[in-house]
């Protein structure tokens, strides 16, 4: 039976009125009057804080007030955004115990299906609560835990919780150092989970073993459409992980978006990927560019081979190559692709220009770079060309 907006909180509770010492948020009106709770999630938050002797966070009160107002309007599919890097108002970052309260609030709530707690301090303690939330909350389709000091143990708990979860579509673990151990648990999870569509484990210090495990599992998994494996910790010169990912692309006909920044790919590895692209008919977005100091090591021969693969692969539409080693053959090849219309200027991170009769490539800020680590505090998230991965593999409205 459809619940009314007034039933957003747990049905069995009648939350008491807010404590008399209601905190005055920093964004309160100029006359310093406090923002009084209006019921629903705010009151439940006050009740839980009092029950657990937990500090009431004005920032959380403000966010819950906004969500209560959206629920009263009858809105559904709401994202609870408690990002710790908001610059529009004072933020006190969410701890593991704060996160327990948020999880209690979200449990059984039919109006909220997204949770964004990026750049907070929930750590492995909060990861255990996130795991329980994934087991009990059957409306959540988006969970953003990026940069929350979650380690291998917390990663294991979250991965195992997804063995039985059938609703989550998009998980971002970006920047949590789950390392090779945690990566192995996530790879094993993909052998069981058949509902997750996008997984971001970039900047998580994955090792060679776990990258190969992801490649092996994705030869069978036909649900994942977007995967971010940026910046693993790889050793050796044989490019074993790139070879396995190339083999995976020959077998997998579901993956549309693959991020392989900072894999130290060389010409040999690039040729492996190009051979796979001749057979693959699902991949549309390939990012082999760089993000900071260390780039992939692809030279002219490998980059030209990649450009040639676009002429035989009709599906591949987005290629990002900046930060590799461009020779004249590379510059001419990508200039030709762009001018003939096979590679649209919005779908790559380079732009050709001519000086003294020679072609050069300049960097343009297309791809995921603009909003990979943050989203605007207000307004739209700019044009699709700046967020191509989200456009190609949408999961609701979520970044």
């Amino acid at each position: 039976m459809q619940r009314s907006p007034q039933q957003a909180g747990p049905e069995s509770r009648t939350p008491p009125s807010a404590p008399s010492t209601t905190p005055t948020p920093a964004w309160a009106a100029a006359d310093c009057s406090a923002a009084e709770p209006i019921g629903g999630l705010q009151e439940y938050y006050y009740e839980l804080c009092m029950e657990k002797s937990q500090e009431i966070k004005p920032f959380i009160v403000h966010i819950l007030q906004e969500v209560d107002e959206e629920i009263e309007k009858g809105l559904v599919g709401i994202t609870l955004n408690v990002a710790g890097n908001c610059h529009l108002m004072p933020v006190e970052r969410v701890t593991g115990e704060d996160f327990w309260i948020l999880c209690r609030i979200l449990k059984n709530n039919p109006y909220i299906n997204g949770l964004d707690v990026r750049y907070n301090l929930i750590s492995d303690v909060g990861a255990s609560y996130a795991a329980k939330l994934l087991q009990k909350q059957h409306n959540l389709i988006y969970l953003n835990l990026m940069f929350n000091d979650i380690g291998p143990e917390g990663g294991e708990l979250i991965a195992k919780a997804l063995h039985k979860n059938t609703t989550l579509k998009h998980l971002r673990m970006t920047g949590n150092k789950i390392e090779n151990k945690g990566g192995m648990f996530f790879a094993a999870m993909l052998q069981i989970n058949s509902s997750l569509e996008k997984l971001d484990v970039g900047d998580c210090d994955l090792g060679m073993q776990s990258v190969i495990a992801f490649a092996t599992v994705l030869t069978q998994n036909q649900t994942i459409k977007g995967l971010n494996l940026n910046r693993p910790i790889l050793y050796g010169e044989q490019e074993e992980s790139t070879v396995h990912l190339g083999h995976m692309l020959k077998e997998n006909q579901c993956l549309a978006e693959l991020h392989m920044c900072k894999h130290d790919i060389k010409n040999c590895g690039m040729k492996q990927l190009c051979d796979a692209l001749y057979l693959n008919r699902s991949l549309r977005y390939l990012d082999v560019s760089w993000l900071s100091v260390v780039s992939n090591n692809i030279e002219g021969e490998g980059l030209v081979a990649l450009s040639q693969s676009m002429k035989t692969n009709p599906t591949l539409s987005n290629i990002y190559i900046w930060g590799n080693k461009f020779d004249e053959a590379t510059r001419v090849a990508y200039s030709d692709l762009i001018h003939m219309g096979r590679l649209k200027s919005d779908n790559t991170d380079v732009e050709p220009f001519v000086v003294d009769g020679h072609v050069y490539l300049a960097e343009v800020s297309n791809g995921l770079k603009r909003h990979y680590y943050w989203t605007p505090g207000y307004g739209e998230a700019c044009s699709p060309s700046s967020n191509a991965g989200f456009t190609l593999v949408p999961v609701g409205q979520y970044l």
Side-chain angles (χ1 to χ4, degrees):
M1 183 173 65
Q2 180 67 33
R3 299 174 66 188
S4 66
Q6 286 76 19
Q7 292 174 310
E11 296 174 351
S12 60
R13 293 178 178 266
T14 304
S17 59
S20 58
T21 56
T22 304
T24 302
W27 49 85
D31 62 1
C32 297
S33 60
E36 292 295 328
I38 59 174
L41 301 181
Q42 277 189 97
E43 288 193 20
Y44 192 32
Y45 174 68
Y46 280 117
E47 177 190 356
L48 290 172
C49 286
M50 297 300 290
E51 177 186 320
K52 301 294 290 185
S53 300
Q54 187 80 7
E55 177 188 359
I56 295 172
K57 299 288 180 68
F59 177 59
I60 295 178
V61 172
H62 175 69
I63 297 300
L64 293 179
Q65 177 183 344
E66 291 183 339
V67 173
D68 277 335
E69 292 171 355
E70 291 180 332
I71 291 173
E72 285 190 345
K73 294 176 184 177
L75 300 179
V76 294
I78 299 168
T79 297
L80 181 59
N81 187 340
V82 197
N85 65 335
C86 177
H87 301 297
L88 299 180
M89 60 187 68
V91 172
E92 189 171 356
R93 291 186 173 176
V94 172
T95 66
E97 295 308 317
D98 293 323
F99 191 65
W100 176 86
I101 293 178
L102 290 176
C103 290
R104 285 285 300 273
I105 290 173
L106 284 175
K107 183 182 175 183
N108 300 325
N109 188 298
Y111 301 98
I112 298 174
N113 66 3
L115 176 60
D116 186 340
V117 288
R118 73 182 76 185
Y119 290 100
N120 282 294
L121 303 169
I122 72 170
S123 69
D124 285 344
V125 172
S128 67
Y129 301 136
K132 293 177 182 177
L133 180 68
L134 289 170
Q135 293 171 333
K136 298 178 180 179
Q137 219 280 13
H138 301 298
N139 297 301
L140 202 66
I141 65 172
Y142 170 68
L143 178 59
N144 189 337
L145 297 171
M146 65 187 293
F147 290 97
N148 260 292
D149 291 335
I150 298 173
E153 290 73 20
E156 176 183 354
L157 293 172
I158 293 170
K160 288 183 175 179
L162 289 172
H163 285 196
K164 295 184 178 180
N165 180 285
T166 59
T167 54
L168 194 73
K169 301 296 184 184
H170 186 180
L171 174 64
R172 296 192 70 180
M173 292 292 294
T174 326
N176 292 298
K177 306 307 180 184
I178 61 174
E179 302 175 355
N180 191 68
K181 177 183 176 182
M184 291 298 293
F185 283 108
F186 274 97
M189 174 270 294
L190 292 182
Q191 291 181 298
I192 301 169
N193 183 289
S194 60
S195 57
L196 194 67
E197 295 181 10
K198 294 189 76 170
L199 176 63
D200 189 337
V201 285
D203 300 302
C204 286
D205 288 2
L206 302 181
M208 177 72 76
Q209 184 185 19
S210 56
V211 173
I212 291 175
F214 275 109
T216 303
V217 168
L218 288 179
T219 59
Q220 300 297 323
N221 183 296
Q222 295 298 313
T223 305
I224 289 288
K225 298 177 182 177
L227 179 64
N228 190 321
L229 296 174
N230 286 346
R231 207 198 67 81
I233 305 298
L234 304 177
Y235 299 98
E237 298 293 328
Q238 300 303 313
E239 297 193 80
E240 295 96 332
S241 61
T242 307
V243 171
H244 281 81
L245 286 167
H247 175 71
M248 177 271 291
L249 289 175
K250 293 179 182 179
E251 303 290 331
N252 185 292
Q253 297 301 320
C254 179
L255 192 68
E257 173 190 344
L258 178 62
H259 300 266
M260 296 177 60
C261 292
K262 296 171 68 175
H263 275 235
D264 197 26
I265 301 172
K266 301 179 180 66
N267 282 351
C268 179
M270 194 67 249
K271 289 179 180 178
Q272 294 282 343
L273 294 178
C274 290
D275 289 343
L277 292 176
Y278 287 118
L279 301 175
N280 184 282
R281 289 297 180 267
S282 66
L283 194 72
R284 298 181 60 194
Y285 180 113
L286 177 63
D287 189 346
V288 292
S289 60
W290 68 307
L291 290 179
S292 57
V293 179
V294 181
S295 70
N296 283 311
N297 224 350
I298 309 167
E299 298 179 353
E301 185 180 357
L303 292 170
V304 170
L306 180 58
S307 72
Q308 292 297 320
S309 70
M310 288 203 76
K311 297 179 180 179
T312 56
N313 183 316
T315 309
L316 189 63
S317 61
N318 297 61
I319 291 182
Y320 302 88
I321 61 172
W322 185 260
N324 293 291
K325 299 180 179 179
F326 301 156
D327 60 8
E328 187 167 3
T330 300
R331 299 192 294 268
V332 170
Y334 283 88
S335 176
D336 289 345
L337 279 178
I338 292 171
H339 286 144
M340 73 174 59
R342 177 60 187 91
L343 179 59
K344 295 182 179 179
S345 57
D346 283 350
N347 293 348
T348 186
D349 56 355
V350 293
E351 180 180 20
F353 64 98
V354 178
V355 176
D356 295 333
H358 294 280
V359 177
Y360 297 91
L361 297 176
E363 183 185 16
V364 291
S365 56
N366 294 335
L368 282 184
K369 296 177 184 176
R370 184 169 295 176
H371 297 134
Y372 179 65
Y373 291 107
W374 63 281
T375 53
Y378 57 90
E380 297 298 323
C382 203
S383 64
S385 64
S386 298
N387 301 278
F390 307 128
T391 305
L392 291 172
V393 189
V395 180
Q397 60 185 1
Y398 306 113
L399 300 184

